[in-house]
mmCIF file of all heavy atoms in Angstrom:
data_model
loop_
_atom_site.group_PDB
_atom_site.id
_atom_site.type_symbol
_atom_site.label_atom_id
_atom_site.label_comp_id
_atom_site.label_asym_id
_atom_site.label_seq_id
_atom_site.Cartn_x
_atom_site.Cartn_y
_atom_site.Cartn_z
ATOM 1 N N GLU K 1 2.843 5.682 -15.497
ATOM 2 C CA GLU K 1 3.695 4.731 -16.222
ATOM 3 C C GLU K 1 4.631 4.006 -15.231
ATOM 4 O O GLU K 1 4.861 2.755 -15.389
ATOM 5 C CB GLU K 1 4.661 5.453 -17.140
ATOM 6 C CG GLU K 1 5.458 4.566 -18.064
ATOM 7 C CD GLU K 1 6.197 5.333 -19.138
ATOM 8 O OE1 GLU K 1 5.865 6.488 -19.367
ATOM 9 O OE2 GLU K 1 7.084 4.684 -19.740
ATOM 10 N N GLN K 2 4.997 4.545 -14.138
ATOM 11 C CA GLN K 2 5.755 3.885 -13.070
ATOM 12 C C GLN K 2 4.915 3.769 -11.813
ATOM 13 O O GLN K 2 5.479 3.697 -10.696
ATOM 14 C CB GLN K 2 7.140 4.748 -12.709
ATOM 15 C CG GLN K 2 7.964 4.854 -13.989
ATOM 16 C CD GLN K 2 8.450 3.511 -14.427
ATOM 17 O OE1 GLN K 2 8.697 2.606 -13.656
ATOM 18 N NE2 GLN K 2 8.603 3.425 -15.741
ATOM 19 N N GLY K 3 3.574 3.881 -11.965
ATOM 20 C CA GLY K 3 2.673 3.835 -10.880
ATOM 21 C C GLY K 3 2.627 2.472 -10.175
ATOM 22 O O GLY K 3 3.093 1.425 -10.644
ATOM 23 N N LEU K 4 1.932 2.420 -8.950
ATOM 24 C CA LEU K 4 1.888 1.262 -8.170
ATOM 25 C C LEU K 4 1.094 0.077 -8.874
ATOM 26 O O LEU K 4 1.579 -0.966 -8.748
ATOM 27 C CB LEU K 4 1.091 1.638 -6.816
ATOM 28 C CG LEU K 4 0.840 0.488 -5.864
ATOM 29 C CD1 LEU K 4 2.134 -0.084 -5.370
ATOM 30 C CD2 LEU K 4 -0.032 1.027 -4.732
ATOM 31 N N LEU K 5 0.043 0.452 -9.550
ATOM 32 C CA LEU K 5 -0.680 -0.661 -10.159
ATOM 33 C C LEU K 5 0.163 -1.407 -11.231
ATOM 34 O O LEU K 5 0.072 -2.604 -11.299
ATOM 35 C CB LEU K 5 -1.970 -0.075 -10.878
ATOM 36 C CG LEU K 5 -3.018 0.316 -9.946
ATOM 37 C CD1 LEU K 5 -4.201 0.971 -10.693
ATOM 38 C CD2 LEU K 5 -3.541 -0.871 -9.096
ATOM 39 N N ARG K 6 0.956 -0.677 -11.982
ATOM 40 C CA ARG K 6 1.742 -1.336 -12.999
ATOM 41 C C ARG K 6 2.869 -2.139 -12.327
ATOM 42 O O ARG K 6 3.169 -3.291 -12.712
ATOM 43 C CB ARG K 6 2.349 -0.313 -13.966
ATOM 44 C CG ARG K 6 3.001 -0.959 -15.180
ATOM 45 C CD ARG K 6 3.451 0.156 -16.226
ATOM 46 N NE ARG K 6 2.404 0.811 -16.829
ATOM 47 C CZ ARG K 6 2.509 1.495 -17.963
ATOM 48 N NH1 ARG K 6 3.703 1.698 -18.437
ATOM 49 N NH2 ARG K 6 1.468 2.173 -18.437
ATOM 50 N N GLN K 7 3.451 -1.594 -11.283
ATOM 51 C CA GLN K 7 4.470 -2.260 -10.609
ATOM 52 C C GLN K 7 3.992 -3.573 -9.881
ATOM 53 O O GLN K 7 4.569 -4.610 -10.005
ATOM 54 C CB GLN K 7 5.138 -1.373 -9.514
ATOM 55 C CG GLN K 7 5.889 -0.297 -10.121
ATOM 56 C CD GLN K 7 6.593 0.549 -8.899
ATOM 57 O OE1 GLN K 7 7.309 0.031 -8.049
ATOM 58 N NE2 GLN K 7 6.350 1.862 -8.937
ATOM 59 N N LEU K 8 2.758 -3.416 -9.369
ATOM 60 C CA LEU K 8 2.160 -4.618 -8.692
ATOM 61 C C LEU K 8 1.866 -5.766 -9.720
ATOM 62 O O LEU K 8 2.129 -6.929 -9.457
ATOM 63 C CB LEU K 8 0.860 -4.191 -7.964
ATOM 64 C CG LEU K 8 0.971 -3.782 -6.478
ATOM 65 C CD1 LEU K 8 -0.333 -3.256 -6.003
ATOM 66 C CD2 LEU K 8 1.532 -4.829 -5.688
ATOM 67 N N THR K 9 1.327 -5.305 -10.902
ATOM 68 C CA THR K 9 0.999 -6.236 -11.875
ATOM 69 C C THR K 9 2.266 -6.964 -12.353
ATOM 70 O O THR K 9 2.245 -8.201 -12.483
ATOM 71 C CB THR K 9 0.353 -5.501 -13.088
ATOM 72 O OG1 THR K 9 -0.760 -4.813 -12.717
ATOM 73 C CG2 THR K 9 -0.054 -6.549 -14.165
ATOM 74 N N LYS K 10 3.376 -6.269 -12.476
ATOM 75 C CA LYS K 10 4.594 -6.848 -12.865
ATOM 76 C C LYS K 10 5.087 -7.835 -11.847
ATOM 77 O O LYS K 10 5.451 -9.024 -12.136
ATOM 78 C CB LYS K 10 5.701 -5.771 -13.136
ATOM 79 C CG LYS K 10 7.114 -6.271 -13.401
ATOM 80 C CD LYS K 10 8.030 -5.115 -13.644
ATOM 81 C CE LYS K 10 9.524 -5.566 -13.660
ATOM 82 N NZ LYS K 10 9.820 -6.552 -14.721
ATOM 83 N N LYS K 11 5.122 -7.420 -10.568
ATOM 84 C CA LYS K 11 5.675 -8.290 -9.493
ATOM 85 C C LYS K 11 4.835 -9.490 -9.330
ATOM 86 O O LYS K 11 5.366 -10.657 -9.253
ATOM 87 C CB LYS K 11 5.676 -7.452 -8.243
ATOM 88 C CG LYS K 11 6.747 -6.264 -8.174
ATOM 89 C CD LYS K 11 8.107 -6.851 -8.175
ATOM 90 C CE LYS K 11 9.153 -5.743 -7.937
ATOM 91 N NZ LYS K 11 10.503 -6.212 -7.990
ATOM 92 N N LEU K 12 3.503 -9.334 -9.386
ATOM 93 C CA LEU K 12 2.577 -10.474 -9.169
ATOM 94 C C LEU K 12 2.699 -11.462 -10.330
ATOM 95 O O LEU K 12 2.746 -12.705 -10.194
ATOM 96 C CB LEU K 12 1.168 -10.045 -9.019
ATOM 97 C CG LEU K 12 0.818 -9.267 -7.746
ATOM 98 C CD1 LEU K 12 -0.544 -8.714 -7.801
ATOM 99 C CD2 LEU K 12 0.912 -10.247 -6.585
ATOM 100 N N ALA K 13 2.836 -10.937 -11.554
ATOM 101 C CA ALA K 13 2.980 -11.819 -12.687
ATOM 102 C C ALA K 13 4.254 -12.615 -12.701
ATOM 103 O O ALA K 13 4.228 -13.769 -12.945
ATOM 104 C CB ALA K 13 2.861 -10.933 -14.030
ATOM 105 N N GLU K 14 5.367 -11.905 -12.350
ATOM 106 C CA GLU K 14 6.621 -12.601 -12.322
ATOM 107 C C GLU K 14 6.665 -13.683 -11.181
ATOM 108 O O GLU K 14 7.276 -14.696 -11.335
ATOM 109 C CB GLU K 14 7.774 -11.520 -12.078
ATOM 110 C CG GLU K 14 7.937 -10.769 -13.382
ATOM 111 C CD GLU K 14 9.017 -9.693 -13.232
ATOM 112 O OE1 GLU K 14 9.406 -9.367 -12.102
ATOM 113 O OE2 GLU K 14 9.556 -9.175 -14.262
ATOM 114 N N ARG K 15 6.023 -13.283 -10.034
ATOM 115 C CA ARG K 15 5.936 -14.296 -9.015
ATOM 116 C C ARG K 15 5.192 -15.547 -9.359
ATOM 117 O O ARG K 15 5.505 -16.610 -9.115
ATOM 118 C CB ARG K 15 5.362 -13.655 -7.707
ATOM 119 C CG ARG K 15 5.246 -14.590 -6.474
ATOM 120 C CD ARG K 15 6.674 -14.905 -5.926
ATOM 121 N NE ARG K 15 7.351 -13.739 -5.516
ATOM 122 C CZ ARG K 15 7.223 -13.249 -4.223
ATOM 123 N NH1 ARG K 15 6.453 -13.754 -3.368
ATOM 124 N NH2 ARG K 15 7.931 -12.132 -3.925
ATOM 125 N N ALA K 16 4.030 -15.297 -10.082
ATOM 126 C CA ALA K 16 3.195 -16.369 -10.589
ATOM 127 C C ALA K 16 4.010 -17.245 -11.681
ATOM 128 O O ALA K 16 3.873 -18.495 -11.598
ATOM 129 C CB ALA K 16 1.954 -15.853 -11.192
ATOM 130 N N LEU K 17 4.792 -16.620 -12.436
ATOM 131 C CA LEU K 17 5.613 -17.367 -13.501
ATOM 132 C C LEU K 17 6.645 -18.255 -12.733
ATOM 133 O O LEU K 17 6.898 -19.380 -13.119
ATOM 134 C CB LEU K 17 6.246 -16.453 -14.377
ATOM 135 C CG LEU K 17 5.335 -15.714 -15.449
ATOM 136 C CD1 LEU K 17 6.062 -14.527 -16.137
ATOM 137 C CD2 LEU K 17 4.865 -16.766 -16.439
ATOM 138 N N GLU K 18 7.216 -17.689 -11.662
ATOM 139 C CA GLU K 18 8.171 -18.534 -10.837
ATOM 140 C C GLU K 18 7.533 -19.747 -10.225
ATOM 141 O O GLU K 18 8.069 -20.764 -10.179
ATOM 142 C CB GLU K 18 8.838 -17.582 -9.818
ATOM 143 C CG GLU K 18 9.837 -16.576 -10.259
ATOM 144 C CD GLU K 18 11.056 -17.280 -10.846
ATOM 145 O OE1 GLU K 18 11.337 -18.434 -10.654
ATOM 146 O OE2 GLU K 18 11.973 -16.551 -11.422
ATOM 147 N N ALA K 19 6.266 -19.456 -9.815
ATOM 148 C CA ALA K 19 5.517 -20.640 -9.193
ATOM 149 C C ALA K 19 5.204 -21.672 -10.200
ATOM 150 O O ALA K 19 5.229 -22.876 -9.958
ATOM 151 C CB ALA K 19 4.252 -20.017 -8.566
ATOM 152 N N GLU K 20 4.853 -21.216 -11.414
ATOM 153 C CA GLU K 20 4.638 -22.181 -12.564
ATOM 154 C C GLU K 20 5.884 -22.989 -12.859
ATOM 155 O O GLU K 20 5.811 -24.153 -13.091
ATOM 156 C CB GLU K 20 4.156 -21.422 -13.791
ATOM 157 C CG GLU K 20 2.748 -20.960 -13.703
ATOM 158 C CD GLU K 20 2.240 -20.584 -15.097
ATOM 159 O OE1 GLU K 20 2.367 -21.334 -16.000
ATOM 160 O OE2 GLU K 20 1.697 -19.480 -15.245
ATOM 161 N N MET K 21 7.052 -22.364 -12.839
ATOM 162 C CA MET K 21 8.310 -22.979 -13.064
ATOM 163 C C MET K 21 8.591 -23.951 -12.017
ATOM 164 O O MET K 21 9.024 -25.123 -12.344
ATOM 165 C CB MET K 21 9.393 -21.968 -13.246
ATOM 166 C CG MET K 21 10.841 -22.598 -13.371
ATOM 167 S SD MET K 21 10.917 -23.640 -15.013
ATOM 168 C CE MET K 21 11.274 -22.323 -16.188
ATOM 169 N N GLU K 22 8.351 -23.644 -10.763
ATOM 170 C CA GLU K 22 8.707 -24.589 -9.682
ATOM 171 C C GLU K 22 7.787 -25.836 -9.862
ATOM 172 O O GLU K 22 8.164 -26.946 -9.626
ATOM 173 C CB GLU K 22 8.354 -23.876 -8.340
ATOM 174 C CG GLU K 22 8.628 -24.697 -7.115
ATOM 175 C CD GLU K 22 8.390 -23.919 -5.847
ATOM 176 O OE1 GLU K 22 8.853 -22.691 -5.841
ATOM 177 O OE2 GLU K 22 7.898 -24.513 -4.808
ATOM 178 N N HIS K 23 6.474 -25.580 -10.199
ATOM 179 C CA HIS K 23 5.538 -26.698 -10.324
ATOM 180 C C HIS K 23 5.998 -27.579 -11.599
ATOM 181 O O HIS K 23 5.963 -28.800 -11.444
ATOM 182 C CB HIS K 23 4.177 -26.168 -10.639
ATOM 183 C CG HIS K 23 3.147 -27.249 -10.879
ATOM 184 N ND1 HIS K 23 2.587 -28.124 -9.885
ATOM 185 C CD2 HIS K 23 2.503 -27.740 -12.032
ATOM 186 C CE1 HIS K 23 1.748 -28.912 -10.408
ATOM 187 N NE2 HIS K 23 1.751 -28.727 -11.713
ATOM 188 N N HIS K 24 6.494 -26.916 -12.633
ATOM 189 C CA HIS K 24 6.932 -27.633 -13.761
ATOM 190 C C HIS K 24 8.143 -28.522 -13.537
ATOM 191 O O HIS K 24 8.194 -29.708 -13.893
ATOM 192 C CB HIS K 24 7.304 -26.656 -14.909
ATOM 193 C CG HIS K 24 7.912 -27.249 -16.136
ATOM 194 N ND1 HIS K 24 7.191 -28.093 -17.033
ATOM 195 C CD2 HIS K 24 9.210 -27.199 -16.707
ATOM 196 C CE1 HIS K 24 7.961 -28.526 -17.986
ATOM 197 N NE2 HIS K 24 9.155 -27.979 -17.785
ATOM 198 N N LEU K 25 9.106 -28.054 -12.705
ATOM 199 C CA LEU K 25 10.361 -28.710 -12.437
ATOM 200 C C LEU K 25 10.146 -29.755 -11.346
ATOM 201 O O LEU K 25 10.787 -30.797 -11.283
ATOM 202 C CB LEU K 25 11.425 -27.767 -12.121
ATOM 203 C CG LEU K 25 11.903 -26.812 -13.224
ATOM 204 C CD1 LEU K 25 12.980 -25.861 -12.685
ATOM 205 C CD2 LEU K 25 12.477 -27.630 -14.364
ATOM 206 N N GLY K 26 9.268 -29.355 -10.399
ATOM 207 C CA GLY K 26 9.002 -30.290 -9.255
ATOM 208 C C GLY K 26 9.815 -30.089 -8.093
ATOM 209 O O GLY K 26 9.754 -30.848 -7.158
ATOM 210 N N TYR K 27 10.591 -28.936 -8.098
ATOM 211 C CA TYR K 27 11.426 -28.522 -6.879
ATOM 212 C C TYR K 27 11.569 -27.053 -6.886
ATOM 213 O O TYR K 27 11.522 -26.419 -7.856
ATOM 214 C CB TYR K 27 12.718 -29.274 -6.979
ATOM 215 C CG TYR K 27 13.677 -28.924 -8.108
ATOM 216 C CD1 TYR K 27 14.440 -27.805 -8.019
ATOM 217 C CD2 TYR K 27 13.587 -29.726 -9.247
ATOM 218 C CE1 TYR K 27 15.244 -27.551 -9.133
ATOM 219 C CE2 TYR K 27 14.355 -29.424 -10.309
ATOM 220 C CZ TYR K 27 15.230 -28.360 -10.276
ATOM 221 O OH TYR K 27 15.962 -28.059 -11.374
ATOM 222 N N ALA K 28 11.787 -26.506 -5.594
ATOM 223 C CA ALA K 28 11.968 -25.102 -5.489
ATOM 224 C C ALA K 28 13.385 -24.654 -5.843
ATOM 225 O O ALA K 28 14.294 -25.433 -6.005
ATOM 226 C CB ALA K 28 11.669 -24.648 -4.023
ATOM 227 N N LYS K 29 13.450 -23.295 -6.075
ATOM 228 C CA LYS K 29 14.793 -22.757 -6.441
ATOM 229 C C LYS K 29 15.860 -23.112 -5.362
ATOM 230 O O LYS K 29 15.482 -22.921 -4.127
ATOM 231 C CB LYS K 29 14.617 -21.267 -6.701
ATOM 232 C CG LYS K 29 15.749 -20.638 -7.465
ATOM 233 C CD LYS K 29 15.406 -19.215 -7.829
ATOM 234 C CE LYS K 29 16.507 -18.571 -8.659
ATOM 235 N NZ LYS K 29 16.131 -17.153 -9.062
ATOM 236 N N HIS K 30 17.032 -23.395 -5.781
ATOM 237 C CA HIS K 30 18.058 -23.728 -4.863
ATOM 238 C C HIS K 30 17.898 -25.040 -3.945
ATOM 239 O O HIS K 30 18.576 -25.346 -3.055
ATOM 240 C CB HIS K 30 18.400 -22.565 -3.868
ATOM 241 C CG HIS K 30 18.634 -21.233 -4.567
ATOM 242 N ND1 HIS K 30 19.613 -21.150 -5.541
ATOM 243 C CD2 HIS K 30 18.019 -20.124 -4.413
ATOM 244 C CE1 HIS K 30 19.530 -19.875 -5.983
ATOM 245 N NE2 HIS K 30 18.660 -19.238 -5.277
ATOM 246 N N ASP K 31 16.859 -25.769 -4.318
ATOM 247 C CA ASP K 31 16.537 -27.002 -3.655
ATOM 248 C C ASP K 31 17.508 -28.089 -4.165
ATOM 249 O O ASP K 31 17.647 -28.353 -5.350
ATOM 250 C CB ASP K 31 15.098 -27.462 -3.843
ATOM 251 C CG ASP K 31 14.724 -28.606 -2.983
ATOM 252 O OD1 ASP K 31 15.610 -29.432 -2.509
ATOM 253 O OD2 ASP K 31 13.453 -28.738 -2.689
ATOM 254 N N PRO K 32 18.258 -28.787 -3.190
ATOM 255 C CA PRO K 32 19.138 -29.845 -3.618
ATOM 256 C C PRO K 32 18.499 -30.964 -4.418
ATOM 257 O O PRO K 32 19.157 -31.704 -5.149
ATOM 258 C CB PRO K 32 19.709 -30.401 -2.312
ATOM 259 C CG PRO K 32 19.578 -29.273 -1.363
ATOM 260 C CD PRO K 32 18.301 -28.583 -1.774
ATOM 261 N N ALA K 33 17.118 -31.091 -4.259
ATOM 262 C CA ALA K 33 16.483 -32.131 -4.928
ATOM 263 C C ALA K 33 16.530 -31.988 -6.488
ATOM 264 O O ALA K 33 16.249 -32.875 -7.280
ATOM 265 C CB ALA K 33 14.999 -32.200 -4.524
ATOM 266 N N GLY K 34 16.925 -30.782 -6.946
ATOM 267 C CA GLY K 34 16.991 -30.494 -8.331
ATOM 268 C C GLY K 34 18.178 -31.081 -8.983
ATOM 269 O O GLY K 34 18.220 -31.274 -10.298
ATOM 270 N N LYS K 35 19.202 -31.494 -8.228
ATOM 271 C CA LYS K 35 20.400 -32.045 -8.850
ATOM 272 C C LYS K 35 20.071 -33.427 -9.439
ATOM 273 O O LYS K 35 19.466 -34.226 -8.863
ATOM 274 C CB LYS K 35 21.470 -32.201 -7.714
ATOM 275 C CG LYS K 35 21.989 -30.821 -7.216
ATOM 276 C CD LYS K 35 23.113 -31.064 -6.200
ATOM 277 C CE LYS K 35 23.624 -29.672 -5.706
ATOM 278 N NZ LYS K 35 24.677 -29.858 -4.717
ATOM 279 N N LYS K 36 20.606 -33.559 -10.612
ATOM 280 C CA LYS K 36 20.427 -34.841 -11.335
ATOM 281 C C LYS K 36 18.889 -35.121 -11.725
ATOM 282 O O LYS K 36 18.571 -36.290 -11.783
ATOM 283 C CB LYS K 36 21.028 -36.080 -10.554
ATOM 284 C CG LYS K 36 22.450 -35.938 -10.428
ATOM 285 C CD LYS K 36 22.999 -37.096 -9.703
ATOM 286 C CE LYS K 36 24.528 -36.933 -9.312
ATOM 287 N NZ LYS K 36 25.127 -38.123 -8.729
ATOM 288 N N SER K 37 18.147 -34.064 -11.771
ATOM 289 C CA SER K 37 16.682 -34.264 -11.998
ATOM 290 C C SER K 37 16.416 -34.381 -13.476
ATOM 291 O O SER K 37 15.376 -34.691 -13.921
ATOM 292 C CB SER K 37 15.878 -33.096 -11.410
ATOM 293 O OG SER K 37 16.207 -31.813 -11.988
ATOM 294 N N GLY K 38 17.438 -33.909 -14.317
ATOM 295 C CA GLY K 38 17.285 -34.002 -15.719
ATOM 296 C C GLY K 38 16.835 -32.720 -16.330
ATOM 297 O O GLY K 38 16.774 -32.499 -17.544
ATOM 298 N N ASN K 39 16.470 -31.703 -15.545
ATOM 299 C CA ASN K 39 16.010 -30.341 -15.987
ATOM 300 C C ASN K 39 16.262 -29.351 -14.925
ATOM 301 O O ASN K 39 16.210 -29.682 -13.708
ATOM 302 C CB ASN K 39 14.581 -30.365 -16.518
ATOM 303 C CG ASN K 39 14.337 -29.163 -17.310
ATOM 304 O OD1 ASN K 39 15.155 -28.432 -17.693
ATOM 305 N ND2 ASN K 39 12.978 -29.078 -17.717
ATOM 306 N N SER K 40 16.560 -28.080 -15.303
ATOM 307 C CA SER K 40 16.826 -27.104 -14.269
ATOM 308 C C SER K 40 16.478 -25.734 -14.888
ATOM 309 O O SER K 40 16.258 -25.591 -16.110
ATOM 310 C CB SER K 40 18.237 -27.170 -13.784
ATOM 311 O OG SER K 40 19.126 -26.919 -14.906
ATOM 312 N N ARG K 41 16.526 -24.678 -14.081
ATOM 313 C CA ARG K 41 16.360 -23.336 -14.530
ATOM 314 C C ARG K 41 17.450 -22.915 -15.414
ATOM 315 O O ARG K 41 18.648 -23.405 -15.177
ATOM 316 C CB ARG K 41 16.196 -22.367 -13.338
ATOM 317 C CG ARG K 41 14.840 -22.601 -12.581
ATOM 318 C CD ARG K 41 14.836 -21.803 -11.218
ATOM 319 N NE ARG K 41 13.566 -21.852 -10.543
ATOM 320 C CZ ARG K 41 13.166 -22.803 -9.945
ATOM 321 N NH1 ARG K 41 13.926 -23.908 -9.691
ATOM 322 N NH2 ARG K 41 11.946 -22.784 -9.267
ATOM 323 N N ASN K 42 17.205 -22.015 -16.372
ATOM 324 C CA ASN K 42 18.172 -21.548 -17.293
ATOM 325 C C ASN K 42 18.039 -20.102 -17.633
ATOM 326 O O ASN K 42 17.906 -19.661 -18.649
ATOM 327 C CB ASN K 42 18.115 -22.332 -18.634
ATOM 328 C CG ASN K 42 19.242 -22.119 -19.544
ATOM 329 O OD1 ASN K 42 20.401 -21.828 -19.064
ATOM 330 N ND2 ASN K 42 18.899 -22.206 -20.852
ATOM 331 N N GLY K 43 18.043 -19.294 -16.596
ATOM 332 C CA GLY K 43 17.914 -17.906 -16.695
ATOM 333 C C GLY K 43 16.520 -17.390 -17.019
ATOM 334 O O GLY K 43 15.489 -18.034 -16.780
#
């Protein structure tokens, strides 16, 4: 239940979701280019 495979799956999936969000917004997290872009991360 707390094994390596499950942890890896969780970490890789969450990293992939962050990459999708970055592609959607057009800028990386904490990138100043995001200011006044009209959209941003929201938790």
Side-chain angles (χ1 to χ4, degrees):
E1 187 173 346
Q2 299 299 324
L4 176 64
L5 288 177
R6 190 175 292 194
Q7 292 182 54
L8 273 175
T9 303
K10 173 179 169 64
K11 292 290 186 183
L12 289 171
E14 290 178 342
R15 182 66 64 87
L17 288 168
E18 287 290 351
E20 282 195 53
M21 175 61 81
E22 183 174 321
H23 178 76
H24 174 69
L25 295 175
Y27 61 89
K29 197 172 184 178
H30 307 305
D31 189 334
K35 293 181 179 180
K36 298 181 181 181
S37 64
N39 197 6
S40 62
R41 289 170 173 80
N42 187 31

